[in-house]
Amino acid sequence: MSDVIISPSILSADFANLERDIKCVEDAGADWLHVDVMDGHFVPNITIGVPVVASIKKVATIPLDVHLMISEPEKYIEPFVKAGADILTFHYEAVEKENVFALIDKIKSYGVKAGMSIKPKTDVKEILNYLSQLDMLLVMTVEPGFGGQKFMPDCAEKIKTIRAMNKDIIVQVDGGINAETGKICRDYGANSLVAGSYIYRSPDIKEAVASLKRQ
């Protein structure tokens, strides 16, 4: 695996040809497959659920990086793990603060990586106490809910604080990622990049993935 984990978002894939588009990014050198789960409540869009994740698992050969942009994520941990999630990320803003540690423990109890995501307006200082328990912290550099938005550079500044507090955690970034913004995030200390439009709408998908891995 590359030092930088590239996780293409299937939100930008052709859902009528999902198996083809999964194989395409696998062949292009992707490390993980980013699966955005949206419920129309926590975010104003609806995407896919447990049955589609289970179907993806049957054809994917790389880990499923499942991002739960949903309310009450604690209710859906077991179903998504059983469907095939290898990394399960919930939103800090979707959980009562006194329940965050318990939710992290619950995810880990199933033997998968536990990730937590923060929205652009969330102060990074609020989540520093959780870093030692998490496998991954996902920094959103756009408002979650829709693909194709513009990168917010101020949000990327959070990466430096997170990396300074924890040298070992995976710091993932999602939102407006391309070769230029990806380099900004890597320079700040990110070691996983999610990209949808940049990869799937590229005329050369292999080169798009490679460009995100270049130091």
Side-chain angles (χ1 to χ4, degrees), residues 68 70-77 90-91 94-95 103:
L68 300 179
I70 63 175
S71 300
E72 300 182 298
E74 61 278 1
K75 293 183 178 180
Y76 301 97
I77 301 305
F90 66 93
H91 262 271
V95 183
L103 185 53

Side-chain angles (χ1 to χ4, degrees), residues 10-55:
I10 63 165
L11 190 62
S12 296
D14 178 355
F15 274 56
N17 294 283
L18 203 46
E19 181 176 2
R20 179 202 68 190
D21 282 6
I22 288 169
K23 295 298 181 189
C24 185
V25 293
E26 288 180 341
D27 292 344
D31 302 294
W32 294 351
L33 199 65
H34 195 79
V35 183
D36 289 305
V37 177
M38 306 181 194
D39 63 358
H41 185 262
F42 180 71
V43 292
N45 198 6
I46 297 174
T47 53
I48 65 176
V50 170
V52 177
V53 172
S55 295

Side-chain angles (χ1 to χ4, degrees), residues 176-210:
I177 295 298
N178 55 35
E180 180 184 354
T181 58
K183 185 177 189 311
I184 291 169
C185 295
R186 290 198 315 269
D187 288 347
Y188 285 163
N191 55 353
S192 179
L193 301 175
V194 176
S197 305
Y198 177 69
I199 290 175
Y200 274 110
R201 295 177 190 169
S202 171
D204 187 339
I205 288 179
K206 189 170 186 177
E207 170 55 28
V209 172

